[in-house]
Amino acid sequence: MRFPNLKRTSLPTTVAEASAIIADPARRAVLVSGGISFIFAHQPAVEEIVLLRGLPLSFVRAREGGLEIGPATLVSELMESPLARDYAGGILVESARRIGSTLNRNLITVGGNLLQPFIWSDLPAVMLALSATFLFEGKRERTASAADLFARPPREFLAPGDILTAILLPPLPASSGEGYRTAYRKFALTENDFAILKLAVVLDRKGSLCREITVAAGGGVVLPQRLSRAEAAVRGRSASPELLARAADEAAEEIKLTKDIRCAEAYKRDVCRALVRETLEELLMDGVPGGPWK
Amino acid sequence: MEITLSINSKPQTVEISPSETLLDLVRRLGYTSVKFGCGEGACGACTVILDGRPVNACLVLAATAGGREVVTLEALGDTRRPHPLQEAFIDAGAIQCGFCTPGMILSAQALLDRNPDPSEEEIRESIDGNLCRCTGYVQIVEAVRLAAKRLRKVGAKSPGRRAKTGSR
């Protein structure tokens, strides 16, 4: 038996019921919807699991011009959703497709990938780039922007009894048919390896003019981070190879990195520089899609 | 606690411990084609099909399988009546030590249930969570392609199997 402290399982039928269970510190309970693994590795004191199967938290649906995703939605279900495929140039599906293996994607939930972030998690950077909002229910209903949720580990943000009930994605800008572009790029040493670095870019352009841009990186540190200096370098300017090289240099300088046993920090900064430059060339100058990074 | 689930189309009510994984449960019930490999969702030796989707049984708590349909390799065929996928793995030389084979075949089965004529890229993606450390993947991909071709020829999804692999 690998989890000797686990004593109870509950199957609530309402969010309020689930919230009350996890809010009770004496019960030492955690929510489980998809697979298990690191929950237990990191919380050996867990004595009760609360199964979310009885709650209607698995959905992908249109909402006020944007999208609403249930946290219990499997990554593979997200990949199969026509709504997700059509939203924001398909960045949700593209990033979901790069999560783990087929077997993993049939177990990992969207909410789990977001609220239990590890350095290899893919969706946090994408949700940050898309300016997602997270809806929590429990003792009280509240929302959090992706920027607020990922400013520190989500477990520190959550109040006792908080349950993520939806991820809300905003309507796309009116120009989304013309100049709205997105990309998710992941650089790994092998197909199934944890990525050295990941990049989610969302921008709005007119011709070569970059009207608005969000650049979010994953894999530098555990939490996703905005590369604001790189964004500022191109925002409101016409793209040129020199400008994009400058933005890439800014990104390589500003990105926060943690130790990685696979490579030196300088190598990771070089990867960041190349990833940003090639992705921006692709999106703003119609460069070769993906290049060697796709 | 007690749960009722279907394993290879056979409804079963079983007593489980809250910490028991689906891998532990199916092996305890005698479905030993499901192997313990890494225990952390990396190798695919414990693959089962859960409600139509192949998953790592080592990462599924048995408690979450209540009311669901589980398929193991035992549902497909045996030495007397092998499934076309099993035959194709033999014919293509896709088995060496055999430890990964049950998982490989179930991942392939789940793919063929959805897509009877997959491309090589789709075959490779379907088995990307099943690691083989001795045969290599060329013969395995070839075996899946061969099985798909044979199954399309006979016009049946899975004529050799005795149980459905679930619905999606």
Side-chain angles (χ1 to χ4, degrees), chain A residues 1 36 53 80 102 104 106 192, chain B residues 41 54 59 66 125 128 168:
Chain A
M1 188 178 290
I36 50 160
R53 286 189 54 213
E80 293 160 6
T102 300
N104 300 154
N106 287 334
N192 274 359
Chain B
L59 298 185
E125 186 173 323
D128 64 359
R168 307 184 61 145

Side-chain angles (χ1 to χ4, degrees), chain A residues 90-282:
Chain A
I91 191 172
L92 289 167
V93 171
E94 175 60 19
S95 55
R97 195 177 67 80
R98 302 300 303 272
I99 295 174
S101 67
T102 300
L103 300 174
N104 300 154
R105 291 190 292 272
N106 287 334
L107 282 177
I108 297 171
T109 60
V110 173
N113 198 255
L114 290 166
L115 292 186
Q116 290 276 343
F118 293 96
I119 201 155
W120 52 82
S121 302
D122 287 77
L123 295 179
V126 177
M127 294 302 174
L128 188 60
L130 289 171
S131 303
T133 299
F134 297 82
L135 176 64
F136 294 95
E137 294 179 55
K139 284 183 181 168
R140 62 190 172 92
E141 189 175 311
R142 62 174 180 149
T143 58
S145 68
D148 286 343
L149 183 68
F150 295 123
R152 52 198 170 125
R155 65 178 177 276
E156 292 177 20
F157 179 90
L158 299 175
D162 268 352
I163 292 181
L164 178 65
T165 53
I167 299 119
L168 313 175
L169 292 162
L172 301 180
S175 68
S176 62
E178 313 156 18
Y180 186 81
R181 304 282 168 90
T182 62
Y184 183 73
R185 297 290 175 261
K186 188 168 176 175
F187 179 72
L189 300 179
T190 65
E191 181 71 19
N192 274 359
D193 193 12
F194 300 145
I196 297 286
L197 218 58
K198 293 154 283 187
L199 197 67
V201 180
V202 176
L203 62 81
D204 188 20
R205 65 177 256 198
K206 185 172 188 182
S208 64
L209 174 71
C210 176
R211 294 195 287 206
E212 189 49 74
I213 182 168
T214 308
V215 181
V221 290
V222 171
L223 296 172
Q225 52 187 307
R226 284 278 292 272
L227 301 180
S228 309
R229 283 167 51 188
E231 293 172 3
V234 291
R235 186 179 290 119
R237 294 190 169 90
S238 277
S240 67
E242 296 74 28
L243 182 81
L244 302 190
R246 198 156 63 239
D249 285 341
E250 294 284 1
E253 275 184 29
E254 71 177 309
I255 190 168
K256 292 191 284 261
L257 298 173
T258 190
K259 264 193 180 168
D260 190 327
I261 58 168
R262 300 167 301 172
C263 62
E265 182 182 316
Y267 175 78
K268 224 169 193 179
R269 290 195 189 278
D270 281 347
V271 168
C272 179
R273 181 179 293 107
L275 209 51
V276 169
R277 191 189 68 243
E278 295 214 3
T279 308
L280 293 183
E281 278 176 0
E282 176 192 334

Side-chain angles (χ1 to χ4, degrees), chain A residues 1-3 6-9 35-37 40 49 51 53 74 76-77 80 101-107 192, chain B residues 1 17-19 21 24 36 41 44 47 53-56 59-61 63-64 66 68 107 125 128-130 168:
Chain A
M1 188 178 290
R2 275 163 287 166
F3 315 118
L6 203 53
K7 298 182 177 76
R8 296 175 302 277
T9 304
I36 50 160
S37 176
F40 296 97
I49 55 164
L51 303 177
R53 286 189 54 213
L74 295 174
S76 50
E77 290 172 333
E80 293 160 6
S101 67
T102 300
L103 300 174
N104 300 154
R105 291 190 292 272
N106 287 334
L107 282 177
N192 274 359
Chain B
M1 66 181 288
S17 129
S19 66
T21 64
D24 298 330
F36 181 89
T47 301
R53 293 181 190 273
V55 299
N56 310 99
L59 298 185
V60 178
L61 282 174
T64 65
R68 304 174 78 179
S107 286
E125 186 173 323
D128 64 359
N130 298 91
R168 307 184 61 145

Side-chain angles (χ1 to χ4, degrees), chain B residues 136-154:
Chain B
Y137 299 95
V138 173
Q139 295 97 319
I140 291 170
V141 171
E142 184 50 37
V144 179
R145 200 183 354 224
L146 182 62
K149 191 175 165 187
R150 288 174 177 172
L151 286 163
R152 286 198 307 277
K153 206 168 180 179
V154 297

